[in-house]
Amino acid sequence: VVTADSVIVTRTPLHSLLADLPASGFLRIHKSYVVNMDHVTCVEGNMLILPGATIQVSRSYRATLDAWIEGC
């Protein structure tokens, strides 16, 4: 888990972490990534641009991202 202040190492599966997060702001975009969409600065193709990171959206989660974008 990466926060603005630290990195936290956990063995908790992402599906469990995602269940504990607010549904409106967090999106699973890869088997290894859940992103707070409030911090995304740009979407370029299959990449999310965040301050200090670029994360690839997997093909299996692209529809989830597209649905989120449509709902904005």
Side-chain angles (χ1 to χ4, degrees):
V1 177
V2 178
T3 69
D5 302 324
S6 63
V7 175
I8 303 164
V9 178
T10 181
R11 290 186 161 212
T12 306
L14 280 182
H15 66 86
S16 296
L17 288 174
L18 191 56
D20 292 337
L21 295 170
S24 63
F26 292 87
L27 192 65
R28 185 148 190 191
I29 53 112
H30 188 277
K31 70 177 187 173
S32 301
Y33 301 114
V34 173
V35 175
N36 182 338
M37 296 305 287
D38 291 339
H39 294 281
V40 174
T41 57
C42 184
V43 178
E44 293 182 0
N46 66 337
M47 304 298 283
L48 294 183
I49 311 300
L50 295 96
T54 301
I55 301 174
Q56 183 173 351
V57 179
S58 71
R59 286 181 296 214
S60 53
Y61 289 98
R62 180 62 202 212
T64 304
L65 176 62
D66 290 342
W68 183 86
I69 290 170
E70 291 274 328
C72 286

